């Protein structure tokens, strides 16, 4: 007889554990409102270069999903290694993520644009594909802005990290 302590993990738990070994770039995705929405994601990736298409995933139960589900445009902000607090803010439920100290402005197509990020893209949503409890959002970049210097904020082993000059991971303690 197996007990809860020696029972095999579920497929979802096993996958979650395995994926903790993958370092991911941290982004904040924003969508116009009302109400405007934003969330932290580690699922951002390039899908195609011809035509240019990117993607990110979002849980269908997320408070941001209703805004993203109807948005024609979204903003994708690549966070710099020093923006851990901004990542935590947009990962926190039940708060106004756009309240101070978050610095932002209304950008093209009414999309909230966060200040001082490593890069941001204004993207036109081209499709939403529901898979299980998430949606994969496919979007075509229409406008790109990036800083000339800086390194990205990464997420690895349940913590935020950055890259040092020698490309060794720099782990930031106390990450969400």
């Amino acid at each position: 007889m197996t007990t809860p302590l020696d029972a095999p993990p579920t497929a979802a738990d096993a996958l979650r554990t395995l994926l903790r070994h993958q370092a991911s770039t941290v982004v904040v995705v924003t969508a116009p409102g009302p109400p405007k929405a934003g969330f932290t994601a580690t699922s951002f990736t390039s899908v195609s270069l011809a035509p240019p298409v990117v993607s990110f995933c979002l849980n269908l139960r997320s408070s941001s999903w209703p805004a993203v589900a109807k948005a024609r445009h979204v903003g994708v902000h690549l966070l710099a290694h020093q923006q851990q607090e901004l990542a935590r803010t947009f990962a926190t439920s039940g708060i106004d993520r756009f309240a101070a100290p978050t610095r932002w402005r209304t950008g093209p197509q009414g999309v909230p644009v966060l200040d001082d990020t490593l890069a941001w893209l204004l993207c036109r949503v081209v499709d939403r594909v529901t898979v299980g409890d998430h949606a994969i959002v496919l979007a075509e970049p229409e406008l790109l802005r990036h800083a000339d210097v800086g390194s990205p904020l990464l997420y690895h082993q349940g913590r935020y990290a950055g890259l040092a000059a020698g490309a060794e991971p720099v782990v930031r303690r106390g990450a969400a």
Side-chain angles (χ1 to χ4, degrees), residues 29-89:
V29 177
T30 58
K36 61 189 166 298
F39 63 95
T40 300
T42 57
S43 58
F44 175 71
T45 192
S46 171
V47 175
S48 171
L49 294 177
V53 175
V54 297
S55 71
F56 59 87
C57 299
L58 178 59
N59 191 307
L60 297 170
R61 293 178 307 217
S62 165
S63 62
S64 297
W65 174 242
V68 173
K70 64 183 178 186
R72 291 176 172 248
H73 289 84
V74 294
V76 179
H77 307 79
L78 282 74
L79 300 189
H81 72 275
Q82 72 274 13
Q83 293 183 303
Q84 296 172 42
E85 285 305 315
L86 187 60
R88 283 188 197 97
T89 296

Side-chain angles (χ1 to χ4, degrees), residues 98-119:
F98 294 93
T102 300
R103 294 179 33 229
W104 67 279
R105 65 191 182 289
T106 301
Q109 305 295 335
V111 172
V113 174
L114 303 176
D115 291 344
D116 303 321
T117 59
L118 189 60

Side-chain angles (χ1 to χ4, degrees), residues 157-173:
Q157 292 289 345
R159 295 182 284 193
Y160 293 115
L163 294 176
E168 292 295 320
V170 178
V171 175
R172 309 288 188 221
R173 301 289 177 210

